[in-house]
Amino acid sequence: SDFVEAPANSAIYTEYYHYSFFEALRAELECSAKSGECSAILDLACGNAILGRKLLAQILSPSAAAGVRVTAVDASEAMLKEARRLCAAEALESSFTFVHSNVGSLPVDLGLFDCVISGFFFGHAN
């Protein structure tokens, strides 16, 4: 759809998530990351990688974020391009791996991940 393919809509993704949403998850995610229980994150239907970026840059402490790797998956190459651009602008690109794929046919072993995040998957599920 146009929404998925248009990188201009990246701003919608960013505006959609407010601090209160992240604050509700912060304590649990930070505890898991600090203990090493959540060092490999799968971000499904990542869009512009807003969830992973906010998690690493604003929610986790720098020491907790240092050991976290995010695999960001999206079916839209245009959104992945925007996610790469934003990660580079925020100096987060070394913490991310980007995968162009439909969620229904993931080319990654799900057993490699400690936790899964997704903000937009159900909005695009058929």
Side-chain angles (χ1 to χ4, degrees):
S1 75
D2 290 340
F3 183 77
V4 173
E5 292 301 326
N9 286 325
S10 173
I12 293 170
Y13 286 24
T14 302
E15 291 175 17
Y16 183 80
Y17 288 100
H18 300 285
Y19 182 78
S20 59
F21 174 84
F22 292 103
E23 186 59 28
L25 297 175
R26 183 197 58 76
E28 184 173 340
L29 289 171
E30 187 165 22
C31 180
S32 295
K34 281 181 178 176
S35 67
E37 294 173 6
C38 194
S39 60
I41 298 172
L42 178 60
D43 185 355
L44 292 176
C46 68
N48 68 2
I50 184 66
L51 291 179
R53 289 185 296 112
K54 285 220 180 250
L55 177 67
L56 291 177
Q58 297 175 14
I59 297 173
L60 296 177
S61 66
S63 61
V68 174
R69 295 277 309 146
V70 178
T71 299
V73 178
D74 204 280
S76 168
E77 188 61 53
M79 288 308 297
L80 286 173
K81 181 178 178 182
E82 179 69 357
R84 286 183 191 96
R85 184 188 72 76
L86 292 168
C87 285
E90 296 172 20
L92 295 171
E93 65 267 42
S94 65
S95 296
F96 279 81
T97 299
F98 297 96
V99 177
H100 180 230
S101 177
N102 182 302
V103 172
S105 57
L106 292 173
V108 295
D109 178 0
L110 296 178
L112 298 175
F113 300 98
D114 304 312
C115 43
V116 177
I117 58 176
S118 182
F120 296 97
F121 171 70
F122 292 108
H124 298 294
N126 292 331

